[in-house]
Amino acid sequence: MYSQGLIGADGRTDEAPEFLEAFQKRIDAEEKIEPMDAMPEGYRRTLIRQIGQHAHSEIVGMLPEGNWITRAPSLKRKAALLAKVQDEGGHGLYLYAAAETLGVSRDQMTEELLSGKAKYSSIFNYPTLSWADIGTIGWLVDGAAIMNQIPLCRCSFGPYARAMIRVCKEESFHQRQGYEIVMTLARGTPEQKAMAQDSLNRWWWPSLMMFGPHDAESQHSDQNMKWKIKRFSNDELRQKFIDATVPQAQFLGLSVPDPDLTWNEEKGGYDHGPIDWDEFWRVVKGGGVMNRDRIEARQKAWDDGAWVREAALAHAEKRRARKLAAE
Ligand code: BYC
């Protein structure tokens, strides 16, 4: 007997109920699922979607900060920013490698990014207009990423969970260097403090949107949580981020651009104003200020790198032939 139901929003599966139950038992027992293990097709496709989008976000996320490397205000700031942007590139590579263990190729994933089929985080479609934005990205964007990714270290899929451990360590450094940039500006001249405030005003709401739609609108959350890919819902993580970040803004003497932000004693967290979901979906669907530039930059990098890929393949082929001939 086969179940023809939808397993997750990602794929129709025709696995036997006994197989699905046995798989769920492994998940419930907190066993890690490894690439060669049997898994429902929906689980595999969900992971390819999420890990692929996560990898694309890391790589596209190099662009807004890369934009400021040549304009960093000191050698120390430039060295730290260079290292951070390179770290993001490294994260993308671990994640592409983790997704490849599920049977998708890097070329396929890149193709999906460039054609607009695969998403990447909405946050990277906003422009970096001032040096303060580099601080704010580290503080808020990496801060939000850590909040989302710490639970992913316990994701049921082994390669993703293991990649996340190193990624989170590096993101912690990114968050601190960003906060320190903003702190320096907030304690600087009135113009520098105004630059930091302007940056917070522009990045606050998009950072909250990084966690994804409200739980009621999140099509994948229920199944992803059942499979222990996600451990917390989008709204739970967003709330944790707000509660951790508002006191950090207060410490800097900056104000969070939300007139409805109030401490709710009963829930032990902040209530916040409405998020502009029209803006979120517009940006996710390609209508953000920077969407076109981002994809153009990735397309150019892919095209410019064609000769490197061809040379690497030709070299590998030569080595293989030489090895065969020597046998
Ligand atoms: N942007 O059902 P839902 C970094 C999509 S980079 C765009 O809640 P799910 C960094 C979602 O994909 C770190 N799209 O989905 C790098 C889905 O569409 P599809 C980035 C979004 O998967 C450089 C639809 O909306 N982090 O740290 O359960 C410099 C419905 O959503 C967004 C990750 O990628 C969004 N913000 O949950 C600095 C974390 N939100 O696929 C820093 C890994 C939702 O059906 N990903 N969508 O077409 C996740 O944890 C989850 O995929 C999400 C969404 C929480 C993002």
Side-chain angles (χ1 to χ4, degrees):
M1 195 182 109
Y2 290 92
S3 140
Q4 295 292 327
L6 262 184
I7 301 295
D10 280 328
R12 186 172 279 275
T13 65
D14 55 5
E15 288 103 1
E18 300 77 34
F19 168 73
L20 294 172
E21 267 167 42
F23 182 76
Q24 190 61 46
K25 270 202 186 122
R26 290 193 63 194
I27 299 277
D28 294 341
E30 297 289 340
E31 274 180 45
K32 284 279 176 267
I33 308 301
E34 297 298 338
M36 302 306 283
D37 293 352
M39 61 183 83
E41 181 59 13
Y43 179 82
R44 194 182 68 83
R45 286 168 57 168
T46 295
L47 281 165
I48 290 177
R49 178 186 64 82
Q50 177 165 328
I51 303 173
Q53 294 187 2
H54 193 163
H56 298 324
S57 304
E58 300 282 357
I59 299 294
V60 175
M62 297 168 78
L63 297 169
E65 290 176 286
N67 179 35
W68 277 88
I69 290 173
T70 53
R71 292 176 286 168
S74 70
L75 183 61
K76 188 187 105 183
R77 294 292 189 205
K78 185 169 177 153
L81 182 57
L82 258 175
K84 179 193 189 297
V85 172
Q86 284 179 351
D87 284 351
E88 308 298 359
H91 300 172
L93 298 185
Y94 317 145
L95 287 163
Y96 282 129
E100 279 177 317
T101 67
L102 290 157
V104 65
S105 73
R106 174 95 177 261
D107 285 17
Q108 276 171 282
M109 286 184 276
T110 305
E111 164 83 11
E112 291 199 347
L113 169 71
L114 298 178
S115 70
K117 187 169 173 232
K119 296 186 170 74
Y120 58 91
S121 184
S122 50
I123 195 76
F124 302 116
N125 293 308
Y126 292 85
T128 37
L129 302 179
S130 71
W131 171 251
D133 288 359
I134 300 308
T136 308
I137 288 180
W139 172 30
L140 300 184
V141 175
D142 287 270
I146 295 169
M147 207 50 100
N148 169 278
Q149 288 168 190
I150 293 278
L152 289 176
C153 297
R154 291 189 292 124
C155 166
S156 57
F157 185 57
Y160 194 24
R162 290 189 288 273
M164 279 301 114
I165 294 170
R166 175 160 172 187
V167 169
C168 285
K169 284 184 184 160
E170 292 177 351
E171 301 291 29
S172 301
F173 150 67
H174 300 166
Q175 197 271 352
R176 290 174 85 99
Q177 69 87 38
Y179 191 68
E180 205 261 331
I181 291 174
V182 183
M183 193 174 343
T184 305
L185 294 172
R187 290 179 179 169
T189 63
E191 289 80 8
Q192 286 172 320
K193 186 166 183 186
M195 196 201 285
Q197 181 63 57
D198 169 65
S199 180
L200 175 57
N201 293 348
R202 285 181 290 107
W203 290 90
W204 176 255
W205 292 103
S207 299
L208 299 192
M209 294 173 194
M210 278 179 76
F211 294 94
H214 273 319
D215 293 351
E217 310 293 324
S218 168
Q219 70 209 75
H220 303 300
S221 277
D222 288 350
Q223 184 62 57
N224 283 6
M225 287 175 71
K226 196 165 169 225
W227 275 329
K228 299 190 195 287
I229 295 170
K230 265 171 141 166
R231 297 278 174 164
F232 296 97
S233 75
N234 298 357
D235 287 333
E236 283 169 336
L237 290 173
R238 189 169 12 247
Q239 184 69 50
K240 279 172 185 272
F241 173 75
I242 294 171
D243 295 343
T245 312
V246 171
Q248 294 169 357
Q250 287 166 344
F251 181 77
L252 296 172
L254 299 178
S255 43
V256 172
D258 179 356
D260 297 326
L261 193 72
T262 37
W263 177 254
N264 182 329
E265 193 63 51
E266 212 171 297
K267 82 171 179 189
Y270 286 91
D271 288 333
H272 62 85
I275 294 173
D276 184 348
W277 293 113
D278 290 344
E279 173 180 324
F280 171 75
W281 289 115
R282 192 172 61 247
V283 172
V284 168
K285 289 179 184 156
V289 182
M290 299 303 289
N291 289 66
R292 229 179 64 191
D293 283 52
R294 300 297 185 229
I295 292 300
E296 273 174 16
R298 290 313 308 150
Q299 180 74 60
K300 181 173 182 312
W302 186 249
D303 295 344
D304 289 352
W307 72 270
V308 180
R309 294 190 298 278
E310 280 162 23
L313 283 174
H315 180 65
E317 182 53 36
K318 257 193 201 166
R319 283 186 59 165
R320 199 183 61 88
R322 223 180 287 143
K323 205 172 156 213
L324 270 181
E327 275 171 7

